[in-house]
Amino acid sequence: MLPLKNDLFLRALKCERVERTPVWIMRQAGRYLPEYRETRKKAGDFMSLCRSPEMATEVTLQPLDRFDLDAAILFSDILTIPDAMGLGLYFEEGEGPKFKRPLDNRKKIGELRVPEVHTELGYVFEAVRSIKKALAGRVPLIGFSGSPWTLASYMVEGQSSRDFKRVKGLIYDAPEDAHQLLDVLSETVYLYLKAQVEAGADAVQIFDTWGGQLAYDAYHDFSLKYMEQILKQLASDPVTQNVPTILFTKGGAVWLDSLANSGASALGFDWTVSFDRVLNKIPANMAFQGNLDPAILRCQDHVIQAEADRVLNSVGGRPGHIFNLGHGITPDIRPEAVSVLLARIAETSTNIRSQ
Amino acid sequence: MLPLKNDLFLRALKCERVERTPVWIMRQAGRYLPEYRETRKKAGDFMSLCRSPEMATEVTLQPLDRFDLDAAILFSDILTIPDAMGLGLYFEEGEGPKFKRPLDNRKKIGELRVPEVHTELGYVFEAVRSIKKALAGRVPLIGFSGSPWTLASYMVEGQSSRDFKRVKGLIYDAPEDAHQLLDVLSETVYLYLKAQVEAGADAVQIFDTWGGQLAYDAYHDFSLKYMEQILKQLASDPVTQNVPTILFTKGGAVWLDSLANSGASALGFDWTVSFDRVLNKIPANMAFQGNLDPAILRCQDHVIQAEADRVLNSVGGRPGHIFNLGHGITPDIRPEAVSVLLARIAETSTNIRSQ
């Protein structure tokens, strides 16, 4: 492995002093980039793009060639695991992900097994190896997975949901089945993240997109518990024990006290919190990531600059901040808006961090 | 006015001792009731139902005839105000509300005026008077309005939105225009709620359905500020000063410290919080409402009972609790599930409150 030329992101994850706040953007390789849309067209459908290590490498590096970002993130989908379990992931134009064979009855849950990740998901690890090679130490590479609860939600609903009817029915009406499903998913996520690390990922993020839809206690029992289990396995495995972990529950601030004890290296936050109100509730050695509202990127340059400053000022000089949006960047954003954002983060955070 | 036969709800709002926890259900008059669907069919479209005081009275009373509820809520829509402002509210089957003439340019915002509520929204106050007469003191009647921010969101987006692109663009790119719009809406909401009280409403609730979509500071500046303005006007107006107010921001727990100082008589909560974790942060004389996940009502009876107990136990004996769901009841719920819920609330809360 080549030594990293830019290790700001990893240093911030360890809460070390940095001269500038590192930044990456959720969905930074995506439809807002014309070069991405070109590759996407070439690939045909979305999953073919994910399944081709060459094309996944190409799109992973596109935002790095355009912008001064401090980390790359593996280009893939959060639903590769259910797909590997045989649910048949597909995408319809203009709609979210869907499954051909959703978990629409309990028998199917009982039959679910931890897949042989190295074969079933081998294309992902090949992509990681290919991306690492192409990066040649420019910046660290982030691996990722959906959280067990988020995966289960899609698997049981069969697609995106507004009210999570079916999966909430499962956890309340048949909690044993729900736990069985979440156990299989947790074991798989652990093996999946471990294999990404073996292939070269420098850090991993768990995306708990739908945890914030749960009732207070249900979040603990059906989402956080399983993420903690994964974090624990990663921490006690020699292969992964030194790899930083980022846990991001959208809308998770309600569970801040619990998240602070989750064992993650860093927590991701959305824009509904102000860092100056929450940082006193997390340990000094825990890093934190976020949290600009992606809607800001649709605004005028001076607004982007002012709102970037607002986030940075809410952190002040505290070590451990990784700048990001509070959720993924959307397809309608001008790429120039990202340049404006990154320039401002560099300028303001250098000023703050040099004081 | 006839004296109330059941004043549990109003006593709980004043944080007085009650022998049983009062309960009402957001959207309790709605599509889950076959008798509602009958009246709705008779009415033709949804707004005709809202505009007919006779039919609005009929559907407002339907859930009270079926269940032991402790309050009635005016049957109406949260978007009557924008409709009265000329935006042309309509509903398409299976979709949310839409406007024929959304606020899609700034000139339209400048031209917006506070409507003559007594004429433009006279049908609402007529419905209140008619409902009060029909209730004949059985239970108190709740009046309501959408919050200025929630109304503005629909008006600017033209319909329900996933990312609130346009209205967030407005508040960040043209904050003066946004404040002008929210000022006109706040004044209108105040006059609208006041007229509902004059017509007989015993309490009023402000529904801030979309406040929780805002960034931490933006919520204060563009949603809470205007709700506080309304609460202040109501509190200093001799007509409304003794009428209890309920403020409900979906996803609002992040702003609990601010909400605790809002001046509302009661705060509504969704299911992402547990009362035992939040009640120490609100004043002893502030009531609180909620917070069962509506998804629970799709589950087996023993689940409904256990989860009702969980909410009641999270409150314990503290005065000021009004049981409700954390959001509106959905059309797919069996009416029998509501009976199960209400019986359990009565039983458990009587046990807790008699200790």
Side-chain angles (χ1 to χ4, degrees), chain A residues 106 163-165 168-169 172-174 212-217 221 253-255 257 271-274 277 293 295-296 298-300 302-303 307 310 330 332, chain B residues 106 163-165 168-169 172-174 212-217 221 253-255 257 271-274 277 293 295-296 298-300 302-303 307 310 330 332:
Chain A
R106 297 198 195 163
D163 48 14
F164 299 86
K165 254 180 227 208
K168 284 189 175 178
Y172 287 111
D173 271 338
Q213 302 293 324
L214 284 165
Y216 185 80
D217 289 338
D221 297 343
V254 187
W255 297 280
D257 294 344
W271 56 86
T272 60
V273 300
S274 183
R277 311 271 308 180
D293 185 344
I296 303 290
R298 282 186 209 104
C299 298
Q300 300 163 77
H302 75 90
V303 172
E307 295 298 321
R310 190 198 295 265
T330 50
D332 57 343
Chain B
R106 298 197 194 162
D163 48 13
F164 299 87
K165 253 180 227 207
K168 284 189 175 177
Y172 286 111
D173 271 339
Q213 303 293 323
L214 284 165
Y216 185 80
D217 290 338
D221 298 342
V254 188
W255 296 279
D257 294 344
W271 55 87
T272 61
V273 300
S274 182
R277 312 270 308 178
D293 185 344
I296 304 289
R298 284 188 207 100
C299 298
Q300 298 163 80
H302 74 90
V303 173
E307 296 297 323
R310 189 197 295 265
T330 51
D332 58 343

